[in-house]
Amino acid sequence: MDNEKRVTLAKIGEAETEEKKSIFIGYAAPVRTEDEAKAIIEEKKKEFADATHNVWAYYIDNGARARYSDDGEPQGTAGMPVLNVLKMSGATDMCVVVTRYFGGTLLGAGGLVRAYSACAKAAIDDAGIAVSESFGIYSLCCSYSEYQRLTVQLRAMDVSEDDTQFGEGVTVTAAIEADRGEELVNLIRELTNGKGSATLIREEERASKRFAS
């Protein structure tokens, strides 16, 4: 079965922009659930409790869960433009909060849309876009005499070696894309003439190597 990729933010991103003396502070973060997004929104509201507005939007599961708030700005001039930036980014599972400190000059509807959109995009650009997928984490057991050949083969297969333990034999913790797990099982079987083992410990999401641009 194909291992589906997931496009999201690489890390937390921040940005600050200014429009006619109004200061806009953008914060973008990867999230997996609405509860995570809501926690971020509440955190930013507390951090910038003295701000004029804390506009937010989140976009989860490719839009299956998407919400926004204008937080007192004229309807359609803040939250929806921020959400549109999220949609147009090509990524999913993220939350953006744009805080505004009013500078004394009204921006008008068009100016608000442009200002909030620009700050949201700047925060997302700062975070960067990453592609991730499910990796299988395996425990590989072999003898000392087989270990050197194993490490050479793992590098050739572009498999990550997370840890190595030396005891009666050698145990390597390795990570490979989930749908390539059988390659590791076959490698250990051939390398050790069936005496070694490759045991799946768990699966976890990591930055993809195959889909990196």
Side-chain angles (χ1 to χ4, degrees), residues 33-53:
T33 67
E34 286 186 276
D35 285 343
E36 288 181 23
K38 290 174 182 177
I40 288 170
I41 292 163
E42 290 307 311
E43 178 185 325
K44 289 301 167 184
K45 284 182 177 180
K46 290 178 181 178
E47 181 180 353
F48 298 108
D50 61 336
T52 316
H53 306 280

Side-chain angles (χ1 to χ4, degrees), residues 135-139 162 173-175 199-204 206:
F135 275 69
I137 312 302
Y138 285 81
S139 176
D162 290 355
T173 303
T199 305
L200 178 64
I201 304 172
R202 66 183 182 278
E203 288 193 2
E204 64 182 44
R206 293 190 177 189

Side-chain angles (χ1 to χ4, degrees), residues 29 32 58 62 68 80 119 148:
R32 291 306 301 264
Y58 60 79
N62 294 308
Y68 67 89
M80 179 59 79
C119 190
Q148 186 172 357

Side-chain angles (χ1 to χ4, degrees), residues 3-197:
N3 193 24
E4 186 177 354
K5 62 180 180 177
R6 189 173 72 93
V7 183
T8 188
L9 299 183
K11 59 180 179 65
I12 289 172
E14 298 177 287
E16 183 174 318
T17 59
E18 183 176 344
E19 184 67 29
K20 294 182 179 178
K21 297 185 179 180
S22 278
I23 302 299
F24 294 84
I25 302 169
Y27 182 89
V31 296
R32 291 306 301 264
T33 67
E34 286 186 276
D35 285 343
E36 288 181 23
K38 290 174 182 177
I40 288 170
I41 292 163
E42 290 307 311
E43 178 185 325
K44 289 301 167 184
K45 284 182 177 180
K46 290 178 181 178
E47 181 180 353
F48 298 108
D50 61 336
T52 316
H53 306 280
N54 285 293
V55 170
W56 56 264
Y58 60 79
Y59 188 76
I60 301 171
D61 196 15
N62 294 308
R65 287 160 289 166
R67 300 286 187 276
Y68 67 89
S69 170
D70 293 312
D71 193 37
E73 292 283 27
Q75 184 176 1
T77 64
M80 179 59 79
V82 171
L83 180 59
N84 285 338
V85 171
L86 272 61
K87 290 179 179 179
M88 295 298 292
S89 71
T92 187
D93 299 345
M94 56 181 163
C95 175
V96 171
V97 180
V98 179
T99 297
R100 182 191 182 190
Y101 285 90
F102 181 55
T105 302
L106 296 175
L107 302 183
L112 287 173
V113 170
R114 288 190 296 273
Y116 277 105
S117 298
C119 190
K121 185 178 184 304
I124 291 174
D125 287 346
D126 183 62
I129 302 297
V131 183
S132 60
E133 61 181 315
S134 181
F135 275 69
I137 312 302
Y138 285 81
S139 176
L140 311 177
C141 297
C142 66
S143 68
Y144 279 82
S145 62
E146 296 157 345
Y147 172 62
Q148 186 172 357
R149 283 186 293 153
L150 173 63
T151 57
V152 171
Q153 288 296 319
L154 292 180
R155 284 196 295 272
M157 293 168 60
D158 201 17
V159 174
S160 300
E161 291 184 57
D162 290 355
D163 185 53
T164 304
Q165 298 292 326
F166 300 95
E168 292 184 5
V170 182
T171 302
V172 176
T173 303
I176 189 171
E177 291 87 349
D179 57 1
R180 294 178 59 208
E182 193 63 27
E183 294 181 34
L184 276 184
V185 175
N186 291 335
L187 172 64
I188 291 296
R189 183 184 298 123
E190 294 171 6
L191 191 67
T192 67
N193 292 318
K195 296 178 182 178
S197 64

